[in-house]
Amino acid sequence: MWEKIKDFASTFFVTGDPLIYGADVSIVLTMAAIVFVLTKYKKWGWLWREWLTTVDHKKIGIMYLIASLLMLFRGGVDALLMRLQLAFPNVEFLHSEHYNAIFTTHGTIMILFMAMPMMFALFNIVVPLQIGARDVAYPFLNAVSFWMFLFGAMLFNLSFVIGGSPDSGWLAYPPLSELSHSPGVGQNFYIWGIQISGIGSLATGINFLVTILKMRAPGMKLMKMPLFTWSVLSSCITIIFAFPILTVTLALLYIDRFLGAHFFTMDGGGNPMMYVNLIWMWGHPEVYIVVLPAFGIFSEIVATFAKKTIFGYKSMVFAMISISVLSFFTWVHHFFTMGAGADVNAFFAITTMAIAIPTGAKVFNWLFTMYRGRVSFEQPMLWTIAFIPCFLVGGATGVMLAVAPADYQYHNSYFLIAHFHQVLIGGVVFGYLAGIYYWWPKMFGFKLDERLGKWGFWLWNIGFYVCFMPQYALGFMGMTRRLYTYGWDMGWAPLNLISTVGAFLMGAGFVFQVWQILYSIKHGERDTTGDPWNGRTLEWSIPSPAPLYNFAVVPEVKGADDWWLTKQERANGTAKAEKAQLEPIHMPKNSGIPFVMSACWFVAGFGFVFGWVWMAVVGMIGVALTMWARSFEYDTDYYIPVDEVRRTEASFGRGISCNKS
Amino acid sequence: MQQVMTHHGDSHDHGHDHGHEDHENLKVLGFWIFLVTDCILFGTLFATYVVLMHNVAGGPTAKELFEMPGVIAETFILLTSSFTSGLATLAMHKGNTKQLIGWLVVTALLGLGFIGLEINEFVHLVAEGATISTSAFLSAFYTLVGTHGLHVSVGLFWMLALMIQLARRGITPVTRRKVTNLSLYWHFLDVVWIFLLTVVYLLGVM
Ligand code: HEM
Ligand SMILES: [Cu+2]
């Protein structure tokens, strides 16, 4: 009996590595600390009522933000571990399997559990406010999406200490990811972590598409919509077409592993190449899903900080829509070297390069907007400006990779690693950071400290070039990706050391940002106006942080940059003061079901990972029961009475000034 | 009532009942988009099936396995159930709750019959040694047909919940929207089945 338990424990818990013992200890300590604090300050009820059951899009956005920053930390630690390993030749810090596990979890976490939720954080916080809506189309579903993401991410992260991490790359190509080559549970963690959070992402795509199509304030025609909202719209359309493909692909891989099917196996008539096609039919659109909103963010920031209308609004919209369509016709460029034939390669080389055209148009529009504007260089603008050269270089190297014959040289080399980090960090991460700085006052009611922020900014930027420029050269020198060590004779040592130094500079930048947040909570400049940057769009017309119902009175929109127009009219004294009445505001009620349902998904996912059918069945029954319970819930909304709205507005110093007009 | 500065002309737009109706319409739109994603899901499964359908790896082929009489019966039953779900919607528009529930019961029974036949087919195939791990062709077959069957089963579960709600509450804007979505879903599954019949069974035995 005792022997059996010991046997089970040693396969269940990952052992034998100091890093993992460290992680075990820190998980236990963090859990204990959380439980202790919540109990000591009697905060359990508060946590449940205010956060775990909330359907308020602003709070859901904040939870997405916190989760994504934690994931950025985890993914960043993985990155630093890899760079430490590669700093010198013949380092024996991580052995090869561990290195494989780390680059796999790093890539997966960064794209699916850091970039996606950070993007959803901004969707949630900004979109309803920008379109003058009081909520998203389906607030309950929105909460489901968040909790599915969170429980999926937790499942994935557990693999580090329980059962073992996946180690066949962030796209899990077979046969590496098949049972024959990855017999452990790591690959199952990958499948179910992504599957559960992926269903949540798909729901978010539907939710925001309908929100944008149907919930805009009266008068806001599509072509009067702020560009960030446009970018969300195009990103959501891409999600809706791409994510079902991912769902199927992961399901098929799991069926192969669990039921012994032959979709992608080497034997039984399976076709591994089909997996590669499927995963990239999702994977390539995915990178545009995450970068399009960044384009939207830059457009808002450039217009605000140059105090000018964005140059070429229509071409910006057109560019985003064409990028989201084109992104589905480029996937083969990820395997030019796998023998598809010259014609196929040529087609996909051309579609890939075609994407550079709308992207280039956008860059010129941003530059024209800044040209002769009175540009002020606060943090959001700094990150935007840093993005432009970074993305230009990334785009240029991307076009180099798109040249099919040349790709035979660069394929799977460090050149590629440098390229995609350049677009992912320079485009996506810089973009979202810019967005976070920009909308931070709207979320929390204070600005983030400039001085600490500049430290963070310069460390990130210098660190970025120090880290990734040498990698282009290393690629030409023949260093391939996913290599865990190399010899002195290769001559790669100096450049690798420089690269590692750069990575640590970025890590230091992140530390400064955390410090900046903590410092600003106490000392940051409070935003009493609701409009700290002299903004142009509707979210700046309401107090910061926005009240529960967002808009006491739904605005009537006259044009693009509506808030800017209103401010000008007020300044000229041409503003028309029409009279309207406050009315009771219709709001959704909080619900515990999304949390419980996602927890059931987690249980089911865990069962599927270990092949414990009983547990999977219990979890799925839980999912079904919670859905059933929701279907029987009719009392799902309430009205905020006029008096309460008036009181809230008055507490912001609003209602009164409004009434005087 | 207080006056607030606004540019709002018609405050009746946001009247309470109106707000509710709008929300129900919104949910129908969302459901349409959900069906689009489901189309892509099935499209991907169909594509895999087409790629793998000749990879029998020495195992039995479609021609040897499929028995058309059962499949034709399934088709007939499912098409009829689509028709009866249409009758349910008609009853709803007439405001006749009893009739509505009655037709839903008929639809559900037909759906159940369909699932029964499908399970029967699968059991027979497995008994003949044609399992999901026999060949890539069979992996794709079970997954594609099974996913459709799973959708039908979820629909049955949902239908049951809805019948109870209709019995309790009668026809309200909320139950009306739910019935609308359910019948959309049911017709959609019917269309998918027609593709299944053509691509899997008819192409298979030809
Ligand atoms: C913050 C600084 C970062 C550093 C220092 C860094 C470093 C690295 C390193 C050393 C590798 C392994 C290369 C190899 O040997 O194959 C890697 C792979 C990867 N990184 Fe990063 N990374 C960073 C940020 C990011 C971000 C922000 C993203 C995405 C949003 C990202 C996505 C990926 C992906 C997808 C892979 C490929 C994993 C695989 O091969 O399966 N990284 N990174
Ligand atoms: Cu691509």
Side-chain angles (χ1 to χ4, degrees):
Chain A
M1 182 68 192
W2 177 238
E3 275 308 305
K4 253 189 170 167
I5 294 177
K6 247 171 63 183
D7 217 42
F8 171 76
S10 70
T11 49
F12 188 74
F13 295 107
V14 183
T15 52
D17 189 307
L19 282 172
I20 288 173
Y21 293 129
D24 285 331
V25 171
S26 64
I27 290 172
V28 171
L29 286 182
T30 317
M31 292 294 223
I34 292 173
V35 171
F36 176 76
V37 169
L38 287 173
T39 313
K40 173 140 191 252
Y41 296 98
K42 298 202 173 60
K43 287 289 188 193
W44 286 103
W46 165 84
L47 183 70
W48 176 257
R49 277 189 310 276
E50 297 287 321
W51 296 96
L52 301 190
T53 60
T54 187
V55 290
D56 178 4
H57 65 91
K58 300 176 285 292
K59 280 190 174 161
I60 291 177
I62 288 170
M63 292 193 288
Y64 267 122
L65 181 63
I66 295 170
S68 67
L69 288 174
L70 286 174
M71 288 295 109
L72 179 60
F73 175 74
R74 155 94 210 254
V77 170
D78 281 345
L80 295 184
L81 292 178
M82 286 188 289
R83 278 318 319 168
L84 268 180
Q85 168 70 20
L86 293 172
F88 299 101
N90 305 325
V91 174
E92 282 174 38
F93 168 52
L94 307 172
H95 42 90
S96 69
E97 301 91 68
H98 200 173
Y99 188 86
N100 293 349
I102 290 190
F103 74 63
T104 303
T105 47
H106 163 76
T108 312
I109 285 183
M110 281 298 194
I111 294 197
L112 286 151
F113 302 122
M114 186 283 284
M116 290 293 278
M118 211 180 260
M119 170 176 97
F120 291 149
L122 293 170
F123 281 19
N124 267 290
I125 288 157
V126 181
V127 169
L129 301 184
Q130 252 191 357
I131 62 175
R134 283 185 174 139
D135 211 330
V136 297
Y138 318 114
F140 176 88
L141 184 68
N142 200 19
V144 173
S145 295
F146 170 73
W147 291 110
M148 299 258 303
F149 145 70
L150 194 77
F151 279 105
M154 292 212 319
L155 191 62
F156 184 84
N157 275 282
L158 265 188
S159 69
F160 187 59
V161 290
I162 293 182
S165 299
D167 57 3
S168 42
W170 80 281
L171 287 175
Y173 279 10
L176 272 185
S177 55
E178 288 282 0
L179 209 53
S180 52
H181 292 65
S182 297
V185 292
Q187 205 54 52
N188 296 342
F189 270 116
Y190 169 94
I191 292 172
W192 285 97
I194 297 179
Q195 191 69 298
I196 291 171
S197 70
I199 299 170
S201 307
L202 186 56
T204 305
I206 298 178
N207 207 340
F208 278 84
L209 180 64
V210 178
T211 304
I212 294 171
L213 289 181
K214 287 286 169 186
M215 311 261 294
R216 278 167 288 136
M220 185 180 277
K221 301 260 160 52
L222 277 177
M223 290 314 269
K224 289 180 183 168
M225 229 158 59
L227 281 172
F228 178 67
T229 301
W230 262 114
S231 73
V232 175
L233 182 77
S234 40
S235 174
C236 285
I237 292 174
T238 318
I239 289 178
I240 285 169
F241 284 93
F243 266 75
I245 308 178
L246 175 69
T247 307
V248 172
T249 313
L250 292 173
L252 299 185
L253 184 61
Y254 186 72
I255 294 173
D256 266 7
R257 293 176 58 88
F258 186 62
L259 297 174
H262 294 285
F263 286 105
F264 314 124
T265 54
M266 303 298 276
D267 60 344
N271 185 347
M273 202 55 216
M274 192 170 61
Y275 181 92
V276 178
N277 272 295
L278 286 174
I279 199 81
W280 278 116
M281 277 186 215
W282 159 77
H284 191 84
E286 166 67 11
V287 300
Y288 287 95
I289 288 169
V290 291
V291 88
L292 280 167
F295 291 168
I297 293 167
F298 294 131
S299 304
E300 299 293 335
I301 291 176
V302 164
T304 301
F305 289 88
K307 298 178 192 60
K308 274 172 65 181
T309 313
I310 192 83
F311 184 89
Y313 175 91
K314 279 191 186 143
S315 62
M316 292 295 231
V317 172
F318 182 72
M320 286 191 286
I321 298 290
S322 43
I323 290 173
S324 60
V325 174
L326 278 174
S327 70
F328 282 94
F329 296 95
T330 65
W331 82 90
V332 172
H333 66 212
H334 294 276
F335 39 93
F336 277 152
T337 58
M338 296 197 201
D343 292 342
V344 174
N345 281 359
F347 173 81
F348 285 94
I350 290 168
T351 50
T352 302
M353 291 185 220
I355 289 197
I357 300 168
T359 315
K362 298 184 74 75
V363 173
F364 279 112
N365 286 341
W366 290 317
L367 292 176
F368 284 134
T369 310
M370 283 184 241
Y371 180 68
R372 295 215 168 143
R374 279 170 292 127
V375 183
S376 59
F377 295 96
E378 280 163 288
Q379 288 170 88
M381 193 62 184
L382 281 183
W383 289 93
T384 305
I385 294 193
F387 148 81
I388 291 178
C390 201
F391 206 74
L392 284 178
V393 176
T397 54
V399 173
M400 286 168 76
L401 285 162
V403 180
D407 190 50
Y408 281 82
Q409 177 61 36
Y410 315 129
H411 186 70
N412 278 352
S413 76
Y414 251 71
F415 186 90
L416 167 81
I417 299 286
H419 154 71
F420 76 68
H421 280 93
Q422 182 130 32
V423 281
L424 281 171
I425 297 184
V428 177
V429 178
F430 283 14
Y432 294 173
L433 286 176
I436 291 168
Y437 283 111
Y438 183 57
W439 282 298
W440 189 276
K442 191 47 63 190
M443 288 183 243
F444 298 107
F446 60 90
K447 276 192 186 177
L448 286 170
D449 186 72
E450 283 284 331
R451 194 173 44 91
L452 289 171
K454 288 216 166 111
W455 275 96
F457 172 80
W458 286 109
L459 281 167
W460 264 99
N461 267 274
I462 295 169
F464 174 80
Y465 288 97
V466 175
C467 181
F468 291 104
M469 292 304 118
Q471 296 186 2
Y472 285 116
L474 282 169
F476 284 127
M477 290 158 72
M479 182 162 161
T480 53
R481 72 190 289 200
R482 300 181 178 176
L483 199 72
Y484 87 104
T485 194
Y486 53 92
W488 282 104
D489 51 334
M490 306 304 288
W492 301 335
L495 286 175
N496 267 307
L497 179 61
I498 296 175
S499 178
T500 300
V501 170
F504 275 86
L505 289 178
M506 281 187 273
F510 184 72
V511 171
F512 268 95
Q513 290 177 307
V514 174
W515 180 9
Q516 173 193 25
I517 292 175
L518 296 179
Y519 177 86
S520 311
I521 289 175
K522 256 204 133 123
H523 307 286
E525 183 191 327
R526 304 291 126 171
D527 169 26
T528 50
T529 58
D531 187 12
W533 314 112
N534 196 5
R536 311 179 70 85
T537 40
L538 285 177
E539 72 269 31
W540 306 110
S541 70
I542 53 174
S544 307
L548 182 61
Y549 46 77
N550 298 350
F551 295 86
V553 175
V554 174
E556 178 104 4
V557 175
K558 306 169 291 297
D561 287 350
D562 192 66
W563 174 235
W564 187 258
L565 291 179
T566 307
K567 285 193 281 192
Q568 279 182 331
E569 282 179 0
R570 285 193 190 162
N572 313 337
T574 51
K576 272 192 296 184
E578 278 174 51
K579 287 170 189 166
Q581 293 163 334
L582 283 179
E583 289 184 344
I585 295 176
H586 187 216
M587 295 302 279
K589 273 190 186 161
N590 282 3
S591 168
I593 292 180
F595 180 82
V596 178
M597 185 198 289
S598 311
C600 293
W601 269 109
F602 179 85
V603 173
F606 200 83
F608 282 125
V609 166
F610 282 89
W612 298 340
V613 175
W614 62 270
M615 192 172 180
V617 169
V618 168
M620 290 315 291
I621 289 178
V623 172
L625 286 182
T626 42
M627 281 189 181
W628 182 279
R630 173 62 182 178
S631 177
F632 279 81
E633 233 176 33
Y634 273 70
D635 182 22
T636 54
D637 27 31
Y638 70 104
Y639 283 92
I640 304 181
V642 172
D643 277 343
E644 197 180 320
V645 177
R646 194 176 301 134
R647 238 178 298 128
T648 314
E649 289 294 297
S651 74
F652 283 116
R654 285 268 160 165
I656 305 151
S657 76
C658 279
N659 294 339
K660 274 187 195 147
S661 63
Chain B
M1 282 272 157
Q2 199 105 2
Q3 292 171 345
V4 183
M5 192 194 92
T6 170
H7 315 277
H8 212 290
D10 181 12
S11 57
H12 287 292
D13 264 5
H14 298 272
H16 310 175
D17 298 319
H18 257 290
H20 234 88
E21 280 288 335
D22 282 356
H23 254 78
E24 300 310 322
N25 284 334
L26 216 58
K27 287 187 176 161
V28 178
L29 175 65
F31 200 75
W32 273 102
I33 300 177
F34 162 74
L35 288 182
V36 171
T37 65
D38 230 20
C39 272
I40 298 162
L41 187 134
F42 275 109
T44 314
L45 286 173
F46 271 107
T48 1
Y49 180 80
V50 171
V51 170
L52 297 176
M53 70 186 176
H54 300 297
N55 298 11
V56 292
T61 63
K63 209 172 190 146
E64 291 159 19
L65 286 176
F66 296 155
E67 284 170 20
M68 284 319 274
V71 178
I72 306 250
E74 281 177 57
T75 309
F76 183 71
I77 290 178
L78 199 65
L79 289 185
T80 315
S81 81
S82 211
F83 178 68
T84 54
S85 86
L87 292 180
T89 319
L90 272 183
M92 179 178 78
H93 288 312
K94 278 192 299 192
N96 190 335
T97 314
K98 272 222 182 86
Q99 229 178 50
L100 165 57
I101 297 179
W103 283 122
L104 284 182
V105 171
V106 176
T107 311
L109 289 177
L110 288 168
L112 217 54
F114 172 85
I115 292 291
L117 281 178
E118 190 156 87
I119 291 177
N120 185 44
E121 184 197 6
F122 281 13
V123 169
H124 269 272
L125 289 178
V126 172
E128 283 171 43
T131 69
I132 194 165
S133 55
T134 306
S135 67
F137 152 64
L138 281 167
S139 305
F141 165 78
Y142 280 110
T143 307
L144 174 57
V145 179
T147 305
H148 177 268
L150 192 68
H151 272 71
V152 174
S153 312
V154 170
L156 288 175
F157 184 68
W158 181 12
M159 214 174 277
L160 183 63
L162 198 47
M163 287 188 286
I164 299 174
Q165 288 167 42
L166 282 167
R168 282 195 195 159
R169 298 170 182 272
I171 300 170
T172 69
V174 179
T175 51
R176 185 184 285 273
R177 179 257 304 165
K178 290 187 179 180
V179 174
T180 311
N181 281 350
L182 180 68
S183 68
L184 259 178
Y185 181 75
W186 207 253
H187 293 316
F188 167 76
L189 290 182
D190 216 37
V191 175
V192 174
W193 178 258
I194 300 294
F195 277 95
L196 264 172
L197 177 73
T198 322
V199 174
V200 177
Y201 292 103
L202 295 181
L203 273 182
V205 295
M206 247 162 41

